[in-house]
């Protein structure tokens, strides 16, 4: 018992000394970026994924980028980007051009061209990525996957007008 207490005390002392050392270094650094700013920059770097640029689709239809697991769709004047993985169990969905829909071969869920669920075991529409038009290209932020159930507003607005 006393050994545990001693270890806890040692650990607390170690943490306290470490925090004091960080505070001292921050004070010495003067105009260097404060620790919380560095932490935030680091955290942002972890969250943000690669931005992938695509040509703006000239007409309605779907483009599947398998290596990056991204679907790019132009539908009724708006470009959307989705994860290629079905939101049920992660199977890669397929584009059925003749039926103008996405289809999951695993449990037969179907989705509208803009990603909303039509029917099947999938609990929601295809997960979308944030997109923007920049320099005449569609830029897809693959670091931010938007789940329709968790962020209905973000999902609804994840698209870029092109017409
Ligand atoms: S994995 Fe797609 S519906 Fe089940």
């Amino acid at each position: 018992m006393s050994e545990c207490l001693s270890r806890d005390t040692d650990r607390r002392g170690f943490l306290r000394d470490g925090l004091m050392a960080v505070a001292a270094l921050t004070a010495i650094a003067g105009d260097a970026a404060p620790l919380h700013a560095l932490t935030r920059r680091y955290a942002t770097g972890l969250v943000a994924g690669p931005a992938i640029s695509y040509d703006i689709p000239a007409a309605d239809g779907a483009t599947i980028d398998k290596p990056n697991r991204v679907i790019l769709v132009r539908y009724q004047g708006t470009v959307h980007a989705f994860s290629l993985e079905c939101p049920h169990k992660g199977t890669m969905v397929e584009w059925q051009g003749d039926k103008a829909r996405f289809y999951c071969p695993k449990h037969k869920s179907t989705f509208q061209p803009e990603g909303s669920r039509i029917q099947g075991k999938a609990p929601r529409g295809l997960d979308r990525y944030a997109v923007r038009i920049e320099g005449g290209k569609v830029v897809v932020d693959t670091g931010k996957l938007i789940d329709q159930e968790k962020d209905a507003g973000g999902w609804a607005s994840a698209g870029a007008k092109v017409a």
Side-chain angles (χ1 to χ4, degrees), residues 85-163:
E85 293 165 5
C86 176
H88 181 224
K89 296 281 185 189
T91 299
M92 285 198 279
V93 298
E94 300 166 357
W95 172 243
Q96 295 181 320
D98 57 328
K99 294 178 180 159
R101 70 181 191 186
F102 290 100
Y103 171 73
C104 176
K106 182 84 171 179
H107 303 115
K108 303 178 179 18
S109 287
T110 51
F111 306 88
Q112 298 283 7
E114 38 67 81
S116 16
R117 178 185 171 278
I118 300 171
Q119 61 80 42
K121 287 190 174 182
R124 60 183 184 272
L126 296 171
D127 294 337
R128 287 180 172 173
Y129 290 116
V131 297
R132 63 184 186 277
I133 303 297
E134 195 174 280
K137 299 273 188 181
V138 183
V139 180
V140 177
D141 177 3
T142 62
K144 187 176 184 189
L145 197 55
I146 305 166
D147 174 324
Q148 187 180 23
E149 285 183 326
K150 292 180 182 160
D151 182 6
W155 192 90
S157 63
K161 291 271 180 212
V162 290

Side-chain angles (χ1 to χ4, degrees), residues 9-28:
T9 307
D10 287 351
R11 203 175 301 135
R12 268 188 250 130
F14 175 78
L15 289 173
R16 185 190 59 238
D17 292 348
L19 287 172
M20 287 174 66
V22 168
L25 284 171
T26 303
I28 290 166

Side-chain angles (χ1 to χ4, degrees), residues 40-52 132 140-145:
R40 198 177 323 127
R41 269 204 300 261
Y42 181 60
T44 301
L46 283 177
V47 170
I52 304 175
R132 63 184 186 277
V140 177
D141 177 3
T142 62
K144 187 176 184 189
L145 197 55

